[in-house]
Amino acid sequence: MAVNEKANSRLYTQPRFLQVGDSAVTIELGNAVDIRANEAVAALEERIQQESIEGVMATIPTYRSLQVVYDPSRIRSKTLVARLSGLLPEDSRGSTRHRRWLFPVCYGGEHGMDLAFLATAHDLSEEDVIQIHSGAEYRVYMIGFAPGFAYLGGLPKALHTPRRDSPRTLTPARSVSLGGIQAAISTMPVPSGWHMLGQTPVRTFDLGRRETFLLQTGDRVRFRPISHGEYERLDAMAEKGDLVAEYEMIE
Amino acid sequence: MTASLIVLDPGLFSTLQDLGRWGYLRFGVSNSGAMDTVSLRVANMLVGNDPGEAAIEFTAAGGTYEVAASACRIAIAGGNFPVTIDGKAATPYSSHTLCRGNRLVIGCSTSGMRGYLAVAGGFEVAPMLGSLSTHVRFGIGGLDGNALRRGSRIPLRNDDVDPGGDLCMDPSMMPSAGGSLRVVLGPQDDYFTQKGIETFLSSPYTVTDQCDRMGYRLEGPKIEHAGDSNIVSDGIAAGSVQVPGNRLPIVLMADRQTTGGYPKIATVITADLHRLAQKGPGDVVRFEAVSVEEAENEYLRLLSRLDEIAASLEPADPDAPNTSLLLTANLIGGVC
């Protein structure tokens, strides 16, 4: 989960094509965690999906780059790069409609073991931390690291916190956390050096659901603080397949 | 009773794997799939399956299996594993027809790390996210997301086989497992000094005991970064060689994370991934840079070699009665 957070965020005027062995090409649109680069990535991915290029197996959108995975027996890099060059968006906005989610979160206690630490570290009360975190709107920059694990941009400066010196080997499933300048929502127990703020009952990854993954790059997320009792109630509903999150379409 | 293969002993680490789960990389799900896709394909060919049918991938030791079906045709490919059927040594690079109650014992490898046990007709297991490939840490695929366990029963699609259909091949046709691993430099070779790249391409690296389906950690001369050893996280392809702050390379494999924040000096070419997958702790590897065009050509060459193998398969026992004759004689079911 290491991220280099450069202060001078910048979108390249000319995208870079990086060859990744003989099975992928990474198109780098910027060099930092930057909303414009991320919007351009989402727009480019959308065009590639619409184009359905023979031999393209998958795409991986990240903060500022898009990896295009190909089958070298069906298309060669030279042809692919030429095709992709023709798809580079002049306008970085895609037409895909994204969702604005509202996720219930139970902060602190067994659900967010680092809430007290974060309050102390920023000379705030736990209530202040909850208010600041749940008062912001976040953008899903990318899904990576583990199935459905969402990296969120938009963490208020007042909560920027360096990662732990020693990562935990396992953190609770569905943790809402922060690390550096970013926030995240996990889906399953994973090792992490981030700070655990709380836990959501929402299953953003559910193999038994038709829409297996709820979040994708470009979605927005807001959080709503709930009590432990409310968490227990919603968690039981979610276990039975209820979404327990609300959303509206945007753009 | 459903036809199945009973796992009496799962060996060290055995999972169902096919050619992988593509299309969910954007949701953080690794492709998984066979580490050595060449051996998976060959094992399948020997039992008359599609090359990408799911098979059991075993590691270092194969385990013991019992047939709970009228008959079951099996084939094994990969590293050198001693194989016995009801105590009798089985010829390698050949399929074999087993009857109900027969025991298949796959011992410890004398060379190579991974082997594949394919069954004619394949396993009757529901795919997850489009594939049977198992990712144990994520709990996806295989038998409820798990590795094989003692007592697991893996349902078979077929309860019986056409008699006299065992096939064999000339083992010398298998693509070579030796030689250096060819790489295409990048995507972040500019994060390393010229000296760092030379170190990587000219030094022997030893596979550590941290070599699993996620990646291979290597030990050897340290690779010099030009500056930062972190990047803004980007996608990771199979075979990419990342070099974190400790300056030692890790080759990322089938179950790797889909994204990561360490610079990647080079990527092992698709045609050589099966060779790395057969390396184990203590084995020494060397890297050699090639162009992407050469890498793509090598992959096409590997695929045509697999086509040649498919075309060369012969009946394992030329004296065995011909299937069509047996069908005429209505002897099916009484052959074993």
Side-chain angles (χ1 to χ4, degrees):
Chain A
M1 281 204 272
V3 174
N4 178 18
E5 291 129 359
K6 293 191 177 163
N8 303 319
S9 60
R10 170 167 95 81
L11 188 65
Y12 298 151
T13 44
Q14 198 62 39
R16 299 175 69 201
F17 282 83
L18 308 176
Q19 189 65 42
V20 188
D22 58 347
S23 70
V25 171
T26 293
I27 309 156
E28 208 174 87
L29 299 172
N31 64 354
V33 178
D34 173 75
I35 187 155
R36 287 176 309 144
N38 195 245
E39 280 173 352
V41 166
L44 178 59
E45 185 185 36
E46 192 187 318
R47 289 188 190 200
I48 293 168
Q49 285 173 345
Q50 284 163 357
E51 198 77 0
S52 54
I53 303 170
E54 161 69 17
V56 167
M57 313 266 291
T59 44
I60 310 177
T62 63
Y63 295 107
R64 46 74 190 239
S65 69
L66 182 72
Q67 183 166 97
V68 179
V69 182
Y70 69 96
D71 176 350
S73 71
R74 286 156 66 201
I75 191 167
R76 300 188 67 124
S77 168
K78 214 173 159 184
T79 317
L80 178 63
V81 168
R83 291 283 298 274
L84 296 174
S85 303
L87 295 176
L88 290 172
E90 289 147 32
D91 175 2
S92 70
R93 286 186 185 277
S95 59
T96 302
R97 282 160 60 86
H98 289 284
R99 287 182 283 196
R100 178 181 286 114
W101 294 91
L102 183 61
F103 280 11
V105 178
C106 183
Y107 287 90
E110 61 184 276
H111 301 289
M113 53 194 150
D114 297 321
L115 178 63
F117 164 81
L118 287 168
T120 310
H122 294 285
D123 202 15
L124 295 165
S125 70
E126 293 188 10
E127 275 313 306
D128 292 339
V129 173
I130 294 171
Q131 203 176 10
I132 295 168
H133 182 264
S134 63
E137 180 172 292
Y138 301 83
R139 175 188 173 86
V140 177
Y141 271 122
M142 62 182 234
I143 309 288
F145 180 61
F149 185 100
Y151 289 87
L152 310 176
L155 181 71
K157 270 212 175 67
L159 295 181
H160 290 186
T161 318
R163 292 169 186 73
R164 289 165 56 86
D165 288 336
S166 162
R168 292 191 174 96
T169 49
L170 274 189
T171 52
R174 304 186 310 282
S175 280
V176 173
S177 62
L178 63 86
I181 67 166
Q182 297 177 84
I185 307 169
S186 74
T187 56
M188 57 175 67
V190 285
S192 174
W194 291 29
H195 305 282
M196 304 296 128
L197 268 170
Q199 206 175 11
T200 178
V202 180
R203 274 63 172 164
T204 55
F205 165 54
D206 183 353
L207 279 167
R209 186 173 55 208
R210 201 179 58 83
E211 187 177 15
T212 309
F213 301 93
L214 290 188
L215 296 174
Q216 58 177 323
T217 300
D219 280 359
R220 314 288 202 281
V221 181
R222 301 184 72 98
F223 298 106
R224 174 172 71 87
I226 56 169
S227 66
H228 174 74
E230 179 73 350
Y231 176 89
E232 297 278 282
R233 191 178 70 81
L234 294 178
D235 187 48
M237 284 166 66
E239 190 59 41
K240 288 187 195 130
D242 206 290
L243 203 55
V244 305
E246 294 159 40
Y247 69 87
E248 57 183 10
M249 303 305 295
I250 46 173
E251 275 173 30
Chain B
M1 188 93 207
T2 329
S4 54
L5 194 63
I6 304 171
V7 181
L8 299 179
D9 164 13
L12 270 185
F13 180 72
S14 303
T15 53
L16 290 182
Q17 299 294 343
D18 53 25
L19 289 175
R21 176 179 290 109
W22 296 90
Y24 294 91
L25 295 174
R26 65 192 300 276
F27 291 114
V29 184
S30 335
N31 48 281
S32 300
M35 292 278 280
D36 173 355
T37 54
V38 169
S39 298
L40 171 77
R41 289 172 203 248
V42 168
N44 274 320
M45 286 176 196
L46 285 166
V47 293
N49 286 349
D50 281 344
E53 186 68 50
I56 297 172
E57 176 185 279
F58 45 88
T59 318
T64 305
Y65 304 84
E66 187 181 300
V67 172
S70 305
C72 176
R73 173 167 297 126
I74 63 105
I76 290 160
N80 290 316
F81 291 84
V83 177
T84 61
I85 296 167
D86 271 2
K88 280 195 287 190
T91 327
Y93 293 98
S94 172
S95 49
H96 303 275
T97 301
L98 279 64
C99 301
R100 188 181 301 279
N102 278 173
R103 278 190 184 196
L104 172 69
V105 178
I106 309 168
C108 296
S109 73
T110 52
S111 68
M113 264 290 271
R114 296 183 166 83
Y116 296 84
L117 165 59
V119 298
F123 296 106
E124 183 68 34
V125 176
M128 275 190 210
L129 301 179
S131 162
L132 259 63
S133 288
T134 320
H135 192 302
V136 171
R137 209 164 64 86
F138 294 162
I140 298 177
L143 302 176
D144 294 323
N146 294 311
L148 302 188
R149 293 171 178 163
R150 190 178 302 269
S152 297
R153 298 178 79 103
I154 319 169
L156 298 169
R157 207 169 279 144
N158 297 345
D159 177 57
D160 209 342
V161 295
D162 293 336
D166 288 344
L167 298 169
C168 68
M169 63 174 276
D170 175 1
S172 71
M173 287 192 77
M174 284 299 280
S176 155
S180 54
L181 297 170
R182 290 161 294 183
V183 297
V184 175
L185 286 176
Q188 280 97 26
D189 46 327
D190 55 345
Y191 273 66
F192 299 87
T193 60
Q194 193 54 41
K195 187 173 153 243
I197 293 173
E198 276 162 24
T199 305
F200 171 67
L201 292 175
S202 63
S203 313
Y205 285 91
T206 308
V207 177
T208 67
D209 54 10
Q210 284 174 286
C211 61
D212 58 19
R213 291 185 42 84
M214 279 186 77
Y216 273 55
R217 279 178 192 266
L218 307 178
E219 186 73 49
K222 296 200 169 182
I223 299 163
E224 190 177 81
H225 292 104
D228 210 341
S229 62
N230 286 288
I231 60 165
V232 178
S233 289
D234 73 350
I236 303 178
S240 272
V241 185
Q242 71 179 19
V243 184
N246 72 0
R247 300 191 285 164
L248 289 171
I250 304 170
V251 190
L252 296 150
M253 301 295 275
D255 286 358
R256 69 194 175 283
Q257 294 172 14
T258 53
T259 58
Y262 297 117
K264 297 166 285 287
I265 191 170
T267 305
V268 176
I269 71 173
T270 309
D272 285 357
L273 284 174
H274 70 102
R275 291 159 55 194
L276 179 57
Q278 291 298 350
K279 305 282 185 223
D283 285 342
V284 173
V285 296
R286 283 177 176 275
F287 297 98
E288 178 194 338
V290 296
S291 68
V292 63
E293 291 77 18
E294 286 174 83
E296 289 167 344
N297 288 340
E298 280 306 309
Y299 184 56
L300 295 179
R301 218 166 279 151
L302 179 68
L303 292 182
S304 30
R305 169 56 67 94
L306 285 164
D307 287 343
E308 286 163 28
I309 292 174
S312 77
L313 297 176
E314 291 179 337
D317 180 4
D319 300 329
N322 177 299
T323 305
S324 54
L325 284 176
L326 281 169
L327 284 168
T328 321
N330 196 22
L331 282 172
I332 281 187
V335 177
C336 274

